[in-house]
Amino acid sequence: MSRPRVALCSPEARCSAETPCSLEARRSRRLDCSRLAPSSVLLAAVLAVACAEDRSALELAREAADDRDRGRAIGLYQRHLEQFGDDFEARLEYTLLLGEAWAFRGGDAAPIVESLERLYEAQPDNLRVKELYAMMLVREGQAAGSARRFEDAERYYQQALEVHPDVGTPYYHLGTMYQEQGRNQAAFQAYIAAALKRPPLPDLYLRLGREYLERGDLDRAINTLQLVDELRGTSTYLLPAAHCALAEAYHRRDDDDSAREHLLRGGEECVVAGLS
């Protein structure tokens, strides 16, 4: 009598000599046939290959990602997305993996930006996608600015603002770029726009506070410069410059006691005319 055919790796399969892929193994995307008798080891090996061939590229990609085999996982995700390009979750997983690989070894960020663009077009209200896409656009803008491709940099920053208008980082980078170009009024306006979003960027408030001081707006200068200390985190190197600017602001407001306190905290290089 012929043996009935067995559906390999079917969801109903239990681990045995005939069907080595248990339901639990199917769910975990891993083969577990520890209950096979020794005489079935060869059969299990053969059937394991059949099970692996039966699994989808997406399953194998996720398994490789779990095993931290980024290169293999990326290739398998690409294979899956060639056939199922509209699979949002798979594309998001793939994009995050690309980001990990890029952060680890650097290289061309364009594939990440392109993938995020597709995700954003599919779900423009997805907050995680908006944050990631805006962040990568800002990084592309920084790279363009460093190469003195200012028009490209401005385009990236403006695109980041269109994607995620609630963040201030693109405005901050626009401000630093404008300031480098000598466009001080445009830089000032960009810093104000950034500060309205309250990003935790101490350098933003140092730059904006100095601009207020330069324009004689002493109250705004003081309030803004104080944020450098409040948000300093690891940016303690900015504190002497902030305290020196505060010393000048208080001195110009005729509060020399406060001015001297900040002068001392401004370091040896801090000099305020008329204050000792």
Side-chain angles (χ1 to χ4, degrees):
M1 182 181 294
S2 62
R3 180 176 296 179
R5 296 184 63 184
V6 176
L8 299 180
C9 295
S10 66
E12 296 79 12
R14 304 296 297 178
C15 192
S16 67
E18 289 78 19
T19 57
C21 297
S22 67
L23 178 58
E24 292 81 3
R26 176 70 172 182
R27 286 174 175 166
S28 65
R29 308 189 300 279
R30 296 183 184 276
L31 185 65
D32 180 9
C33 296
S34 58
R35 288 180 285 170
L36 283 175
S39 61
S40 304
V41 172
L42 180 58
L43 175 62
V46 173
L47 293 177
V49 175
C51 285
E53 291 176 351
D54 186 59
R55 293 160 64 197
S56 70
L58 181 58
E59 288 178 305
L60 295 169
R62 286 169 171 164
E63 181 176 307
D66 289 343
D67 291 338
R68 312 304 296 169
D69 189 348
R70 292 193 188 97
R72 181 167 179 266
I74 287 171
L76 288 163
Y77 273 115
Q78 289 171 339
R79 186 192 305 174
H80 171 77
L81 291 170
E82 285 174 3
Q83 186 175 1
F84 304 101
D86 294 332
D87 187 338
F88 182 89
E89 291 302 323
R91 182 168 295 280
L92 180 57
E93 293 167 15
Y94 164 69
T95 306
L96 293 172
L97 198 62
L98 284 179
E100 286 182 14
W102 176 77
F104 181 73
R105 65 171 184 266
D108 186 9
I112 307 172
V113 176
E114 291 169 6
S115 192
L116 283 167
E117 183 177 9
R118 290 194 61 171
L119 289 168
Y120 178 70
E121 289 174 352
Q123 293 189 21
D125 294 326
N126 187 298
L127 182 59
R128 190 178 191 189
V129 170
K130 288 167 64 174
E131 290 174 344
L132 290 171
Y133 191 21
M135 180 187 73
M136 289 306 300
L137 287 168
V138 166
R139 294 197 177 193
E140 289 291 274
Q142 288 177 278
S146 296
R148 305 193 69 78
R149 292 186 289 107
F150 295 125
E151 290 185 4
D152 289 339
E154 186 168 10
R155 177 173 54 81
Y156 281 123
Y157 294 141
Q158 294 291 357
Q159 190 177 355
L161 288 169
E162 292 172 7
V163 169
H164 199 356
D166 297 329
V167 296
T169 309
Y171 281 120
Y172 163 71
H173 286 289
L174 277 169
T176 60
M177 185 183 71
Y178 291 150
Q179 198 164 31
E180 183 180 355
Q181 294 175 293
R183 299 166 59 186
N184 293 332
Q185 184 59 29
F188 180 52
Q189 295 300 326
Y191 290 147
I192 291 174
L196 289 173
K197 308 295 183 181
R198 302 289 291 189
L201 297 171
D203 185 61
L204 164 63
Y205 303 105
L206 176 59
R207 290 171 181 265
L208 181 57
R210 283 171 163 170
E211 289 294 328
Y212 281 132
L213 183 60
E214 181 73 20
R215 287 164 170 75
D217 193 339
L218 302 180
D219 289 341
R220 284 197 174 94
I222 290 169
N223 290 337
T224 304
L225 289 164
Q226 286 173 340
L227 292 172
V228 180
D229 195 2
E230 292 177 18
L231 299 171
R232 66 184 182 277
T234 59
S235 301
T236 54
Y237 67 94
L238 296 174
L239 292 181
H243 286 298
C244 193
L246 280 165
E248 181 176 349
Y250 278 115
H251 176 61
R252 289 169 61 180
R253 208 169 66 171
D254 297 324
D255 183 354
D256 282 352
D257 289 339
S258 297
R260 289 190 182 91
E261 178 185 343
H262 287 285
L263 183 67
L264 290 173
R265 298 175 69 183
E268 295 180 355
E269 296 182 0
C270 180
V271 177
V272 177
L275 185 66
S276 59

